[in-house]
């Protein structure tokens, strides 16, 4: 299982737009093969930090996701509404 | 539910020590009241990034954790073995 943490730093006046765009991205993504979990979280102290927490069965499933129509259309929109580049880490569980 | 992502940047020659210390911390923590999940992940591309992913029933449960004997004893050890300060975010699910 591959866990992805994608931490986005959103412009304060674009949070609602990103939440709307993300809703559509999530609805399409959870139907993808190999998608275990795909959820958006908001930092309790800083509402402009919106982090996608994902779980994928394999690297292939994750690669297919990044080639999907909805990913290619929506993720750049989130990028446009960001203050700075997202921090994305791919993880494996160790303990 | 409160989700905590604690991203640690470990000195390359101290990874094993941190994994050992973390094992003990996890064994004690999962027994705590209100602890839903408490797991250590390693970045696939950079083995020195070790991130604790936690789920707690409430802020009170999380506060009790940070006052626990094992937390107060072990977390500073992880700090000593770190290149720079950890990045810890507390999250709530939004979508």
């Amino acid at each position: 299982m591959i866990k992805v943490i994608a931490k986005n730093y959103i412009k304060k006046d674009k949070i609602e737009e990103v939440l709307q765009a993300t809703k559509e991205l999530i609805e399409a993504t959870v139907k993808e093969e190999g998608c275990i979990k795909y959820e958006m979280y908001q930092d309790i102290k800083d509402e402009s930090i919106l982090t996608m927490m994902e779980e994928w069965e394999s690297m292939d499933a994750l690669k297919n996701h990044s080639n999907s129509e909805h990913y290619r259309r929506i993720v750049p929109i989130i990028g446009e509404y960001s203050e700075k580049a997202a921090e994305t880490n791919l993880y494996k569980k160790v303990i």
Side-chain angles (χ1 to χ4, degrees), chain A:
Chain A
M1 188 270 282
I2 312 285
K3 193 138 182 159
V4 179
I5 304 292
K7 189 173 176 180
N8 300 286
Y9 299 88
I10 306 302
K11 291 172 184 166
K12 295 229 189 268
D13 60 345
K14 295 294 182 191
I15 293 169
E16 262 321 303
E17 284 88 336
V18 167
L19 289 173
Q20 282 313 316
T22 304
K23 206 174 268 177
E24 189 189 343
L25 178 60
I26 289 173
E27 278 162 12
T29 300
V30 293
K31 294 172 193 154
E32 287 181 48
E33 205 178 313
C35 178
I36 301 167
K37 214 176 248 185
Y38 200 84
E39 299 172 336
M40 176 66 92
Y41 285 78
Q42 184 169 42
D43 187 288
I44 288 172
K45 293 176 192 153
D46 179 351
E47 63 175 3
S48 71
I49 295 177
L50 290 172
T51 297
M52 194 73 88
M53 302 197 196
E54 315 171 25
E55 290 181 10
W56 294 91
E57 284 173 7
S58 65
M59 283 300 282
D60 284 343
L62 180 53
K63 267 182 202 134
N64 292 338
H65 170 57
S66 56
N67 291 322
S68 67
E69 183 280 332
H70 45 275
Y71 181 95
R72 287 173 173 247
R73 178 167 46 83
I74 297 173
V75 168
I77 295 169
I78 295 171
E80 274 166 45
Y81 289 153
S82 293
E83 281 293 345
K84 58 180 180 177
E87 285 161 29
T88 300
N89 294 84
L90 275 54
Y91 291 106
K92 62 180 181 191
K93 187 179 172 191
V94 281
I95 308 172

